[in-house]
Amino acid sequence: MFKILRDMLRYNVEFAIGFVLTLSIFLFALAHFWAPLPDTAIYLLPPDMPPSAQYWFGTTSRGQDVLWQMSSAIWNTMLFGLTVTVLSRLLAVAVGMLSGYLGGRWDQALMTLNDTMIALPNIPILLLVYFVMRDSMSWPVLAATAALLGWNYDARLIRSVTLSLRNREFTRHAVFAGMSVPQILVRQHLPYVMPVIFFTAMNNLIWAIGLEVTLSVLGFSDINRPTIGGMIYWANQHQAIIAGIWWWIAFPIIAIVLLFLGLFLLAISVNEYIDPRSRLSRMGA
């Protein structure tokens, strides 16, 4: 694993750039644990101060330091995205591998469930959950709901890989050796599925972060918990652009764009490593 990482950092420029961008954003977000003020505190600093030596990214109309607010907001946004990604990967792996290996009625039932979930509209369901649970809405509930809606496409991809492994000779040897279905899936098939899981996880992480930003900008989340979307929401509420407080909205947008760019470069470079044909097709285009 570390050898692959080292080689990709050395020979794949896209992966190296994406890795540096993502790691830089992560380290910046990690710094919020050493913030001088609580991230939910308001009106503790002079409001609407432009970027300066004292306040590098300026302050908001709510008396908050944009630098430390961004650090905390990126951490919370990434935490939401990672939570959705982990939960949805568990569902995708379980459904995809079981469906592909067991086949028959199990495959038909699981894929019927999968196709039903694909047909459901994500945003309206999330908004419905928000309005129904408005008084008790929290980010874990929203993350769990998003995870339940974000696994189905990837489950089909994992199923296709497992289908190709089911009739391999090493699988038949494992069956003859008396290994149970969970043992075969975990010990024999999972190593072959891991690259696909990692690639789909990167795409799902981008989707989950974008979803959180979208819902927060619209106010359909816990707006008092610092997130990138929450910062943009409060900036719009205080009409930051009209008031000339450009730094309140510009720096969060730049941060999320850099994060998306880093994750996107990681995703396409990992896809090239898994499937070299994608690199050839891009070169031909």
Side-chain angles (χ1 to χ4, degrees):
M1 183 68 182
F2 290 105
K3 183 179 183 298
I4 294 173
L5 178 62
R6 183 192 62 193
D7 291 343
M8 292 191 70
L9 286 172
R10 180 179 299 177
Y11 301 115
N12 192 312
V13 177
E14 292 173 342
F15 183 86
I17 295 174
F19 183 83
V20 170
L21 280 176
T22 306
L23 181 63
S24 300
I25 295 292
F26 173 77
L27 293 176
F28 175 70
L30 196 64
H32 88 280
F33 287 108
W34 292 273
L37 297 171
D39 55 10
T40 56
I42 58 177
Y43 303 113
L44 295 182
L45 299 174
D48 302 335
M49 298 294 292
S52 63
Q54 184 176 7
Y55 305 109
W56 290 2
F57 289 180
T59 63
T60 70
S61 297
R62 307 177 81 216
Q64 297 169 308
D65 192 325
V66 174
L67 175 67
W68 293 111
Q69 273 289 293
M70 275 183 52
S71 180
S72 181
I74 293 173
W75 178 267
N76 290 333
T77 297
M78 292 181 68
L79 181 62
F80 177 90
L82 287 171
T83 302
V84 173
T85 300
V86 170
L87 293 177
S88 62
R89 291 317 83 195
L90 292 175
L91 286 171
V93 169
V95 173
M97 294 187 72
L98 285 173
S99 177
Y101 182 77
L102 295 177
R105 293 183 178 179
W106 280 102
D107 183 28
Q108 185 178 2
L110 290 172
M111 284 301 100
T112 299
L113 173 64
N114 185 81
D115 294 341
T116 302
M117 296 297 297
I118 289 177
L120 297 178
N122 293 347
I123 297 296
I125 290 178
L126 289 169
L127 295 182
L128 177 63
V129 171
Y130 171 79
F131 284 116
V132 170
M133 304 182 62
R134 178 181 299 181
D135 296 334
S136 58
M137 174 57 68
S138 61
W139 77 265
V141 174
L142 194 62
T145 306
L148 289 173
L149 299 171
W151 58 271
N152 32 64
Y153 289 101
D154 301 331
R156 274 201 166 274
L157 183 59
I158 293 171
R159 170 183 174 270
S160 65
V161 176
T162 308
L163 277 172
S164 68
L165 298 172
R166 185 176 61 178
N167 296 321
R168 294 280 189 91
E169 187 173 350
F170 69 86
T171 302
R172 291 197 293 269
H173 288 171
V175 174
F176 293 149
M179 295 180 67
S180 64
V181 172
Q183 288 176 326
I184 293 174
L185 293 180
V186 174
R187 297 182 184 179
Q188 303 294 327
H189 291 181
L190 187 59
Y192 292 92
V193 179
M194 282 303 296
V196 178
I197 295 174
F198 185 77
F199 169 66
T200 58
M202 299 302 299
N203 289 332
N204 191 258
L205 180 59
I206 295 172
W207 171 79
I209 291 176
L211 183 66
E212 191 282 326
V213 172
T214 301
L215 293 175
S216 296
V217 167
L218 297 175
F220 298 124
S221 65
D222 183 3
I223 56 176
N224 293 316
R225 180 174 179 265
T227 62
I228 292 296
M231 289 189 69
I232 299 173
Y233 169 85
W234 284 113
N236 288 332
Q237 291 297 306
H238 288 266
Q239 300 181 338
I241 295 297
I242 297 176
I245 315 170
W246 56 268
W247 52 89
W248 191 358
I249 196 169
F251 287 122
I253 291 177
I254 292 173
I256 201 65
V257 167
L258 291 177
L259 179 59
F260 277 146
L261 179 60
L263 293 173
F264 173 73
L265 290 175
L266 287 178
I268 61 173
S269 56
V270 170
N271 184 44
E272 288 179 359
Y273 176 79
I274 297 172
D275 184 10
R277 292 174 299 179
S278 63
R279 179 171 63 252
L280 296 177
S281 63
R282 283 208 304 158
M283 292 174 63

